[in-house]
Amino acid sequence: MGLKCVIFSAVLEASVASVFALEAYPEQQFRFGIGNTDRNISISGKNAGDYLSSSTIQGTAYEKWTLNFISSGVFEIVNVATGMVVTHENGLATIGKDVDGANQRWKIIAVEKDFEGYPLYYKVVSQADTTQAFTFDVNSNSIAVSAYAKGEYQKFKLNLDGLEGYAANAMTPNGEKAGTIGGLLGEVVYVSTDADLIKELDSEEPKTIVVTADIDMQTHAHTRIRDFKTLVGSYAKHTLYDTYFRTNNEYGNDEPSDNIVIRNFKLIAKNQPNRILINVWSSRQIWIDHIYFESQLSYDRTGNGLDEVGKFIWINTPYESYMDAKDRLRSPDYVTISYCHLENRYWTVAYGTQNDELTRDRTTLLYNWWDKNVRRCPQLGNGSAHVYNNYYSAYGNASNGSGTSGIIGGDGSEMLSMNNRFNGYTLAQALMMGGGSDPSRDDNSYLSEALDATPNKISFSPVSKSSWKPEQTNYGYSLLDSYNSKGTDTKDFCSKYAGDQSAASDMKYITDSEFDSWVSVRYPSPFLKSIDVGSEPVGGYKEGAEIDATKKFLVKNVNSDFYLSLAVGILENGLDVVQGSVQTPWFVTAADSGYYYVKLAQNAAYFLDLANGNVGNGTNIAIWEDTKNPAQLFKFVANEDGSFSITTKNTKDKSCLGIGAASKEENASVIQWTCDGTTNQSWILEEYVEEPSLALERGNPFVQVQLLGKNLQVFNGSGQNLQVSLYDLAGTRLMQKDLRGSGVHSLELGDGVSKGVFIVKVKGISMNRTLRLYAF
């Protein structure tokens, strides 16, 4: 199973447990969004064999998934709640224990891009048969595995769990944008040295790079992170000192990198003043999450000009005179900074553009704790920033430095502050925005000037008030109260959960269901459509009626009034099943799941059979000896009018028996076709009752026929001369006699007739009858 099986093959058994504990890390969980709907793939239960279903976002582990990398493009898909993997079982996607089965390997392939060129939709196909793909069945609320036909419900989004804002799946004036996925679809590698970290970050292919040791990076400048990378710290050790990560080449020799995720680190500025720990140069699709940023460098917060001017995060384009000026005309965009704890630095986060572009540089900052910093928390010029549910703690009005500021909006910016909590700030320090023509707004934030005093709601009046409402135009998100006394406000959440984590149980997102009681409002995505799902049987299967297996039945087609019968011919494998006037009795034997074998009453060795087990429309129905194959399994589904639809198991009850072209002609073939509810696919079961005294189906009341021993006795009361012919069911003529005159005629048959079922045809001037004769 790829890396997950072999990486520790040389480790002594006694130390395996400690090695795996060291390597535990926040695996990237994600949701499968179904098409452009608000539903995600979930599971119907927690047991092996339970089928995949769907739900709207609930924030539970049932709808969250991880990937086991097997080989390039091939994965196991693991359900977070159960640890079981998606398994293909008889055309249905289920969960099962991981047994490395061929039916547990999947390919996730991009099939549609957004307007920026990022993969938006994916198909999920079986590695064993890439023509078979995940298919959402809205009528049964399940996930089938069926032929890929580029269907609307055969495409899925990969939405990283916990990711909100502009780096997530979002809408822009130019159209819908895909969510950032980082290295989700790549191999997982583990590094513990600076050399290995630099090497893996600079590799070309998608990867999740897990750091398993504390690493000092102070001697390395311009550490390049390339496209489709997830850089994540293990739970045990994840401190990086004096990083200088950057998302482009310092000389602009190639395009800036996109689709990057950085999670769960302590990033410490310790020995390198004036260094920026994360540099986002002209890059897009960036998620910085659960990072504890700390500066151990000394600074004087009074703003005397002697402070070091490094930053934790810098998002910008190069200046015209920079060595990488080639990237200047490509603006950064789609950045989310979330659940970070930023502490003790003069400047923290600054971004904008140097090219005067105003429509890019869109950022979302949520659930961060800005702890005893001085300036730029954040500062933005040229772009837009949605800053919500951030907690700000300063030194207090009497002790803050002269340069203290929280949210700063520069020229060309649009700033939206929502439900933030400021502790130890004046209003002028907290919100330095809205002083000019650049629109800004604050909604429902609270502030206290003295430390830990009861905060009051902010009254903020910008010169130009922003009318921006992301929940109506861009993306969905969740809000806490900025202040309450219940222990569930912005301060409570951010002070508990922002920053790096050392255990999976502490890695929290506001979208988790456990915070439902904390959240004051959840805004759904404004561009995803809601759909209704049905409750039809899962997998397309229908509920079958119970048929009395002790009885024999005639099966009559409602559309034609003809019976399920056999074509004229030798009774052998492949003899065609047709509709006809000959009343052929059948009986059934129960199988499993409501299916029956349908057998010929005259010779139970022959079964109703779907030709070659084909599932296509028009597949012929014949008789065949027992093959112990699902092609011989049929289900009787009751209709409201008392008739039955006869479905085939091979099509999972999606196709029914009917007559080709809905013909009403005798001897027209019986075929399968997609169930359509017409009378052509409706059948009436008539109990067949044998008459041992007469052993004869009565025809014309003036003509009676019965078999006595080896003699065929015909009573002719019609007044016509008759021609009487006797056939077996294979169509072989056994006898033909001309009878003249009325009365009883006895015709000797010899040894050619034994017990069984025969066909008698009686013809006269005004008579043409076909009778069924039973010999006992």
Side-chain angles (χ1 to χ4, degrees), residues 396-424:
N397 183 29
S399 302
N400 288 341
S402 59
T404 296
S405 61
I407 301 173
I408 305 175
D411 292 342
S413 68
E414 182 165 9
M415 309 294 295
L416 176 57
S417 166
M418 301 179 73
N419 292 48
N420 294 306
R421 171 84 177 270
F422 296 90
N423 182 23

Side-chain angles (χ1 to χ4, degrees), residues 291-469:
I291 309 293
Y292 172 57
F293 294 93
E294 182 193 12
S295 173
Q296 297 178 359
L297 302 165
S298 61
Y299 69 88
D300 183 349
R301 63 179 181 272
T302 59
N304 60 11
L306 301 178
D307 300 300
E308 66 94 22
V309 292
K311 302 169 191 67
F312 291 137
I313 302 172
W314 172 264
I315 304 168
N316 219 313
T317 55
Y319 286 100
E320 204 166 6
S321 58
Y322 275 20
M323 52 189 172
D324 56 352
K326 171 181 177 292
D327 298 329
R328 180 173 174 267
L329 297 181
R330 188 184 196 263
S331 298
D333 212 352
Y334 314 128
V335 178
T336 293
I337 301 172
S338 61
Y339 305 91
C340 292
H341 184 175
L342 307 96
E343 184 176 5
N344 198 42
R345 203 159 201 193
Y346 187 78
W347 285 352
T348 56
V349 177
Y351 54 105
T353 65
Q354 309 299 328
N355 56 25
D356 300 325
E357 185 175 17
L358 304 181
T359 58
R360 295 281 188 176
D361 211 9
R362 288 165 282 201
T363 58
T364 309
L365 299 97
L366 56 145
Y367 297 98
N368 301 296
W369 180 7
W370 308 81
D371 187 11
K372 295 184 289 294
N373 303 294
V374 178
R375 292 181 59 79
R376 296 183 171 180
C377 302
Q379 178 177 351
L380 170 65
N382 291 12
S384 54
H386 183 199
V387 187
Y388 63 91
N389 280 125
N390 287 251
Y391 173 49
Y392 294 82
S393 56
Y395 291 94
N397 183 29
S399 302
N400 288 341
S402 59
T404 296
S405 61
I407 301 173
I408 305 175
D411 292 342
S413 68
E414 182 165 9
M415 309 294 295
L416 176 57
S417 166
M418 301 179 73
N419 292 48
N420 294 306
R421 171 84 177 270
F422 296 90
N423 182 23
Y425 286 81
T426 66
L427 177 58
Q429 293 169 340
L431 300 176
M432 296 184 65
M433 60 186 194
S437 60
D438 302 303
S440 63
R441 189 175 84 247
D442 180 83
D443 292 344
N444 301 313
S445 294
Y446 274 68
L447 176 146
S448 60
E449 293 191 6
L451 288 178
D452 299 321
T454 300
N456 296 303
K457 187 175 180 179
I458 288 175
S459 178
F460 178 68
S461 301
V463 174
S464 177
K465 186 174 183 178
S466 171
S467 60
W468 179 25
K469 294 185 177 181

Side-chain angles (χ1 to χ4, degrees), residues 44 46-52 84 87 89 92-97:
S44 61
K46 298 187 293 184
N47 299 315
D50 286 337
Y51 61 89
L52 269 58
M84 286 188 272
T87 304
E89 293 288 350
L92 193 65
T94 66
I95 54 172
K97 293 182 179 180

Side-chain angles (χ1 to χ4, degrees), residues 626-686:
D626 185 6
T627 63
K628 295 181 174 57
N629 190 286
Q632 293 181 337
L633 288 175
F634 300 87
K635 185 181 290 182
F636 294 82
V637 179
N639 299 321
E640 291 183 358
D641 62 359
S643 66
F644 296 88
S645 298
I646 304 176
T647 66
T648 56
K649 183 171 184 179
N650 274 20
T651 64
K652 296 184 293 188
D653 297 345
K654 288 182 171 59
S655 293
C656 295
L657 299 196
I659 308 302
S663 173
K664 294 185 179 183
E665 297 295 321
E666 187 166 14
N667 294 319
S669 292
V670 178
I671 63 170
Q672 83 168 354
W673 200 271
T674 301
C675 297
D676 56 20
T678 64
T679 57
N680 177 54
Q681 295 181 343
S682 297
W683 302 83
I684 296 172
L685 300 188
E686 298 178 350

